[in-house]
Amino acid sequence: MSTTRAKPKKPTLKVTPSSRVMNVSTSGVLRVNHSSTYARSINASVSRKSFSLAADSKILDKSSVQTPKHTVQVFDENGKDVTPQPLYQPDPAAVMSKHSKIFASDTSGGTMSDFYSTAYQTTTNASFAGPFTRSVFGSSTVSRGSQSTMESMNEEIEDPSSKRDISISLSDVQVRREEVKELIKEEMLDDVVDRYLIESETLWLLHMPAVSVSVDSEEAESVKERNNLYMELCKNRMGNDKYVERSMQTFNGAPKTKDVQSEAITMVDAATTATTWDMYDSFRSAGLGEAALSPDTDKASVPEIVSNHRLDPTRAPERTMSVISTTSIASASSSRIEMEPFVVPSEDEPDPELVLQSEKFQQDLFVMERIILENIYQPKLAAYRQLPTLEDPDSVPKVVPTVVSRREESSLDEESTLTPALERLWSFSCELTSGHNVSSMAWNKRNPDLLAVGYGQFDFKDQKSGLICCWSLKNPTWPERVFTCESGVTTLDFSASNASQLAVGMHDGSIATYNVESREKTPVIDSSDCAHKHTSPVWQVRWIDHERGASGEDKGETLISVSADGRISKWFLRKGLDCIDKEKKSEALISRQAPGLCFDFHPTDSNIYLAGTEEGHIHKCSCSYNEQFLETYIAHKGPLYRITWSPFCSDVFLSCSSDWTIQLWRQDLFTPVLGFTSTQSAVYDVMWSPKWATVFGAVNEGRVEIWDLGASILDPTIVSLASPGVKLTSLLFATETDCILVGDSDGQVCVYQLKNLTVGEGTQVAALEDIIGSTLASQL
Amino acid sequence: MSAEVEETLKRIQTHKGVIGTIVVNAEGNTTLITSTKVDYAGLLHQLTMKARSTVRDLDPQNDLTFLRIRSKKHEIMVAPDKEYLLIVIQNPSE
């Protein structure tokens, strides 16, 4: 019966029938579109044979049309007519020819059925064929109908190619169908076979819609003529040499494999961390202007400069790392040197030399040195500042040899905890100062850590050039400032109002002021040009703050100096340094032209001052009186080296001289209240302690003595001997702490701490007065 | 190098306990002055960057001025700058 395959897939036929030819003849009659389209799609080539067949068949059409008997009919085993209806309507002419051909050649009829089935299956097209096919489906009457439609299709003009196509395909199909059918008959007669015929979708491969022209139209004639011409052509085609069947073979070029290798694509990972400061910097620099950023980006593109490129110092590591990885440049150091000519203005890698010379580097070195020294001197400085000393936890503990000695030490310690002593902390010295004699020391009034030391010989022989060093507590090994002077420095004093101004008196009589803040080595002001300058060594200079001056313009600080030529001069700044003689020692009274050695202004009343002379006299003078002394105190037998008012008791003062004595005076008494002697050497310096009224220190040639009048008025409480060969020349108490500074003739300034000096509470003013009172009482 | 800088540097190197002084450039790869063989430069550079990053992260207007590392044997002191690092290693308990 029908083949097993509902949808035969034969190569020739495979393409599903496609085009519906649909002949537009709108007769409404059911048209069966036979495989004309079907075949057309498959075979585009025109074959003569088929054409002739078609032509022949056309003739036969009419005759055979009437024979419904030749209609292909499919019967299943049960005798049921299951003739599948054709799925499309071919053109009338085409259909007719096809049919005829089929009828003519077909014997089994199975082909047709198959065709139909295929046609059906492949038709789903919604175009013309659509409605027809569906309605056609499954009805046996359709076949008859198809015939009738075929009859009615007369005037259709159809694409002749369709006829040919169909015929060829039909012939092919026929052959196969027959073979299959025979097999079935013999073998499986008794089998019940289910056949399912499914309409498949329609795939249009080629749709060439037919154009029909009505007979009545104007073009009818031309179209007819054209058709006739074409038919003539087809007829003549047979033996015509113009038409040759020919086949072609396409050349398949020999394949060739070709490899291309591209350059390796280097992948680079770039990463950056967006930190808070990174963003802050970007915002800031963006805000500052494009100019700063654009050279950076330009530089980034220039490979040579890239290796040393520093866009942003804080981000430099990441950037430079990534940049170096993307460009292959020679090592940084070598390229840097070559980079010099390519330097782009802003933000290039600075020359290493420049780095080392920069200000910042100097500053850093300075700070670093201080820190290193702090590490070294930390215990000493802590002691100075009266802080608890921290023990280094990692330092190797000193091995104590035996238990016995430890006990001894501890007992000694106990003793030493009781006796007051001077503990040496450190000394200010360096090779610059060695060999110079320390003549004077002064603390800076504003910065208590800054010390000015003047170096110069006292004697008129051995005069070297003088030296002034400003030392800081933070660096005991090197002075902060060094000033060299032509002649030895004998005295110096810091100004209180202008803390960086240092007044210096020298052995040749000149006075100069230095500005210690600047790094200049020359004095700000020099008195050498002054007409009234001192002609002899200036032994003391002092800045005195006058609360009310004699005349209106004397308010403020003035510089007072005393010199060996017998004058005490007040200096003020005009175009140079000019002075007014405050005091002229006239020949009249007690004094002759006595060279003055020292003076001191009254701490509260700046009009009154004391002056000491080489003769050993102390004169009390007043600023308002230029001609005469107010008082004279005579006790010393040698030149007075120092006079100093007590900072606590306003009418008590001390004086020391080369006659081995220190005298304590009360200003209303013309004889000293107390005298102190300890050794037979000249006392060079004496100073009241700034902390206790009863304590003062004295320096003579070989020792430092600390006297505590509350403890003893006969002997010094603490005595410290100088190193052999060195003379101690000056003394200075530290203001805030219990330390004293002692200068010697070797250029060293030693810092000692007063240990275990128990004076009692308070400033002991009352104690001092008691002592004085009791002494006086005992004298009377 | 200016005389003062040289002097200061020499003084630093002769202070008690100072083992070495190193000045490195900003990237940490070239040493400009070195008086010790041990390579502190690269390592300290990274640490300084990290320290500076930390300080600035807490407050972007702040900046690192000095870094001191106290270890059992030495103390390493680093003065950072955007162009160089000044490193001094000292053994203070000597």
Side-chain angles (χ1 to χ4, degrees), chain A residues 147-365:
Chain A
Q147 284 167 26
S148 58
T149 55
M150 277 189 278
E151 285 170 7
S152 60
M153 293 187 253
N154 295 324
E155 297 165 13
E156 298 305 322
I157 299 159
E158 169 58 39
D159 191 349
S161 62
S162 60
K163 307 170 200 167
R164 302 164 223 139
D165 298 341
I166 294 154
S167 45
I168 294 164
S169 53
L170 282 173
S171 56
D172 293 341
V173 172
Q174 284 168 13
V175 169
R176 286 192 212 138
R177 280 285 161 245
E178 286 179 36
E179 290 170 10
V180 175
K181 207 176 170 185
E182 280 177 19
L183 275 168
I184 290 168
K185 273 185 179 170
E186 286 168 9
E187 293 164 6
M188 300 181 291
L189 279 175
D190 293 329
D191 287 347
V192 179
V193 178
D194 292 330
R195 297 284 166 260
Y196 299 99
L197 300 176
I198 301 161
E199 187 176 324
S200 71
E201 27 178 282
T202 309
L203 297 173
W204 290 94
L205 284 183
L206 178 63
H207 179 217
M208 295 168 64
V211 177
S212 319
V213 177
S214 104
V215 178
D216 297 332
S217 74
E218 298 151 359
E219 297 168 339
E221 287 298 320
S222 61
V223 170
K224 265 190 195 164
E225 202 182 311
R226 220 174 66 205
N227 281 350
N228 291 335
L229 273 173
Y230 187 62
M231 284 201 296
E232 289 285 329
L233 185 71
C234 290
K235 276 187 214 160
N236 294 336
R237 202 168 143 256
M238 264 325 225
N240 202 337
D241 287 331
K242 278 195 199 170
Y243 300 92
V244 173
E245 205 170 284
R246 200 184 168 133
S247 58
M248 291 287 294
Q249 182 178 10
T250 55
F251 286 118
N252 293 324
K256 179 177 172 182
T257 312
K258 185 162 180 170
D259 290 329
V260 173
Q261 186 172 15
S262 70
E263 278 183 17
I265 302 167
T266 50
M267 310 282 257
V268 173
D269 285 330
T272 183
T273 325
T275 53
T276 317
W277 50 265
D278 205 352
M279 293 187 274
Y280 175 82
D281 281 346
S282 320
F283 278 126
R284 244 193 34 205
S285 58
L288 285 176
E290 307 301 311
L293 291 175
S294 49
D296 301 350
T297 51
D298 287 340
K299 274 188 279 172
S301 61
V302 178
E304 299 111 36
I305 308 183
V306 149
S307 63
N308 295 322
H309 184 51
R310 309 211 53 234
L311 293 171
D312 187 309
T314 51
R315 284 181 290 170
E318 292 113 317
R319 291 256 189 111
T320 46
M321 292 322 259
S322 61
V323 153
I324 286 170
S325 65
T326 53
T327 61
S328 52
I329 304 289
S331 74
S333 53
S334 59
S335 53
R336 190 191 303 126
I337 294 160
E338 292 150 12
M339 269 327 113
E340 293 309 309
F342 302 124
V343 164
V344 178
S346 62
E347 307 202 44
D348 228 354
E349 176 73 39
D351 195 9
E353 288 303 310
L354 283 178
V355 164
L356 297 176
Q357 281 174 13
S358 64
E359 270 294 316
K360 185 75 180 19
F361 188 66
Q362 262 177 288
Q363 181 69 23
D364 278 344
L365 276 177

Side-chain angles (χ1 to χ4, degrees), chain A residues 542 544-547 600-610 643-654 667 688:
Chain A
R542 189 66 55 90
I544 302 297
D545 198 15
H546 292 288
E547 278 139 22
D600 194 15
F601 272 71
H602 196 276
T604 47
D605 182 5
S606 53
N607 251 343
I608 308 293
Y609 61 94
L610 294 168
I643 293 183
T644 165
W645 288 97
S646 166
F648 297 102
C649 300
S650 56
D651 48 355
V652 174
F653 61 91
L654 270 178
Q667 70 170 337
W688 287 100

Side-chain angles (χ1 to χ4, degrees), chain A residues 277 281 361 364 369 375, chain B residues 11 53 56 68 84 90:
Chain A
W277 50 265
D281 281 346
F361 188 66
D364 278 344
E369 191 182 5
N375 272 340
Chain B
R11 276 210 313 279
S53 176
R56 294 205 72 207
R68 268 169 114 163
Y84 60 87
Q90 186 189 21

Side-chain angles (χ1 to χ4, degrees), chain A residues 458-768:
Chain A
F458 286 139
D459 302 335
F460 65 91
K461 51 185 192 231
D462 309 327
Q463 279 294 316
K464 309 180 213 184
S465 65
L467 194 66
I468 304 164
C469 288
C470 291
W471 296 88
S472 164
L473 234 64
K474 296 171 186 166
N475 187 348
T477 58
W478 194 260
E480 305 296 316
R481 299 278 189 276
V482 176
F483 304 106
T484 48
C485 317
E486 285 171 0
S487 71
V489 173
T490 50
T491 175
L492 40 74
D493 192 29
F494 267 109
S495 161
S497 59
N498 185 0
S500 57
Q501 202 167 30
L502 179 68
V504 176
M506 284 174 261
H507 202 272
D508 62 356
S510 57
I511 293 171
T513 58
Y514 286 85
N515 183 5
V516 297
E517 265 185 297
S518 75
R519 294 212 164 247
E520 285 177 22
K521 304 291 186 174
T522 53
V524 174
I525 292 274
D526 203 340
S527 77
S528 0
D529 299 332
C530 173
H532 299 293
K533 68 170 186 165
H534 290 295
T535 48
S536 314
V538 178
W539 291 115
Q540 191 158 358
V541 289
R542 189 66 55 90
W543 291 95
I544 302 297
D545 198 15
H546 292 288
E547 278 139 22
R548 47 190 180 102
S551 54
E553 42 181 272
D554 287 352
K555 244 178 231 174
E557 248 193 353
T558 50
L559 183 64
I560 313 284
S561 68
V562 65
S563 110
D565 60 2
R567 287 164 35 206
I568 295 178
S569 316
K570 176 161 82 169
W571 299 81
F572 52 91
L573 294 168
R574 288 258 166 91
K575 276 183 200 155
L577 204 51
D578 204 9
C579 69
I580 300 176
D581 277 344
K582 297 200 42 53
E583 174 73 47
K584 271 198 188 109
K585 296 179 190 167
S586 63
E587 313 223 0
L589 296 172
I590 307 153
S591 59
R592 287 141 226 132
Q593 275 281 357
L597 279 181
C598 55
F599 69 96
D600 194 15
F601 272 71
H602 196 276
T604 47
D605 182 5
S606 53
N607 251 343
I608 308 293
Y609 61 94
L610 294 168
T613 66
E614 262 186 32
E615 292 172 349
H617 302 303
I618 302 172
H619 303 288
K620 182 159 90 170
C621 322
S622 164
C623 298
S624 29
Y625 270 135
N626 276 351
E627 295 294 322
Q628 276 202 5
F629 313 129
L630 298 176
E631 313 271 349
T632 307
Y633 307 86
I634 304 175
H636 284 286
K637 300 172 189 60
L640 286 164
Y641 286 130
R642 184 72 69 198
I643 293 183
T644 165
W645 288 97
S646 166
F648 297 102
C649 300
S650 56
D651 48 355
V652 174
F653 61 91
L654 270 178
S655 63
C656 72
S657 88
S658 62
D659 66 353
W660 312 337
T661 63
I662 305 165
Q663 307 287 342
L664 178 78
W665 304 78
R666 216 169 69 176
Q667 70 170 337
D668 52 345
L669 300 171
F670 296 105
T671 54
V673 176
L674 284 167
F676 312 99
T677 2
S678 53
T679 52
Q680 295 168 351
S681 48
V683 183
Y684 284 122
D685 207 348
V686 70
M687 184 171 174
W688 287 100
S689 160
K691 211 164 159 190
W692 298 292
T694 51
V695 177
F696 63 89
V699 152
N700 53 32
E701 278 182 21
R703 24 198 260 179
V704 177
E705 296 166 357
I706 307 292
W707 293 77
D708 181 6
L709 298 179
S712 160
I713 58 172
L714 298 175
D715 289 316
T717 316
I718 305 173
V719 173
S720 172
L721 294 170
S723 332
V726 172
K727 287 199 289 188
L728 304 175
T729 53
S730 51
L731 176 77
L732 192 66
F733 270 87
T735 42
E736 306 284 321
T737 77
D738 292 340
C739 295
I740 58 167
L741 282 75
V742 178
D744 61 23
S745 59
D746 198 28
Q748 281 205 17
V749 176
C750 294
V751 181
Y752 293 93
Q753 189 185 25
L754 300 169
K755 290 195 84 88
N756 311 312
L757 195 64
T758 47
V759 182
E761 289 170 16
T763 53
Q764 306 289 311
V765 173
L768 180 67

Side-chain angles (χ1 to χ4, degrees), chain B residues 25 29 43 48-49 52 56 60 64 70 76 83 86 92:
Chain B
N25 73 335
N29 49 11
L43 301 165
T48 313
M49 288 298 130
R52 176 180 270 141
R56 294 205 72 207
L64 182 69
R70 185 77 178 91
I76 303 170
E83 291 156 13
L86 169 64

